[in-house]
Structure formats: C-alpha cells, structure tokens
Amino acid sequence: IIGLGTIVRAAAVSKKLAEKEREFAIDANIIKLMKTKRVFGIDKIIEEVTKMIKVFTPQTRDIKSSIERLIAK
C-alpha cells in the first residue's frame, strides 16, 4: 500500500527533475545561439530561444536567469 505522502513526495521530485531538465535545455539553447551568432541583445536572445525550444514554452524570467547564471560562470 502506497500512502498519500509517498505520492506527494514523488510528484515533488518529478517536478524538480522536470524544472532541472528545462533549465538545462534553456542553457544549451542559449549557448548554441551565442556560439553561432556571437552578439545578440537580450530581447533577441529571448525571442530566439523561445523559438528553438519546441517541447515547452520557456518563461522570460527563466531565460533571463539562465543568461545571468551563464555570464557568472
């Protein structure tokens, strides 16, 4: 018998894994874009990354935070 707490924890773990995979997808597409084009404005990066990712629609704030995190590296 599986308790409700176990199901809730499993759902939370799945959600975190999905968020991490989305973060990696955003990062990878930003890197791919910047390697090919070299110079882009932030609005153009957001527009292009949104077009490139077909599996989900990335939020603008997620793309901006990924850009900031990549710059910090």
Side-chain angles (χ1 to χ4, degrees):
I1 297 177
I2 298 175
L4 183 60
T6 305
I7 294 171
V8 171
R9 281 188 297 251
V13 168
S14 294
K15 185 177 178 181
K16 286 186 181 191
L17 274 172
E19 288 174 2
K20 205 61 161 162
E21 287 178 7
R22 288 178 177 205
E23 184 179 300
F24 289 140
I26 292 170
D27 288 354
N29 282 290
I30 290 170
I31 291 168
K32 183 193 300 185
L33 181 66
M34 294 308 294
K35 281 188 173 185
T36 58
K37 302 292 183 179
R38 296 287 178 187
V39 177
F40 257 121
I42 185 107
D43 294 330
K44 190 68 175 167
I45 293 173
I46 292 169
E47 179 184 329
E48 290 295 321
V49 168
T50 303
K51 285 181 188 175
M52 292 168 77
I53 298 177
K54 304 287 186 203
V55 179
F56 65 95
T57 304
Q59 299 293 317
T60 302
R61 71 178 188 284
D62 295 334
I63 297 172
K64 286 183 178 180
S65 66
S66 287
I67 293 169
E68 290 172 2
R69 190 177 52 257
L70 290 168
I71 290 172
K73 286 184 182 181

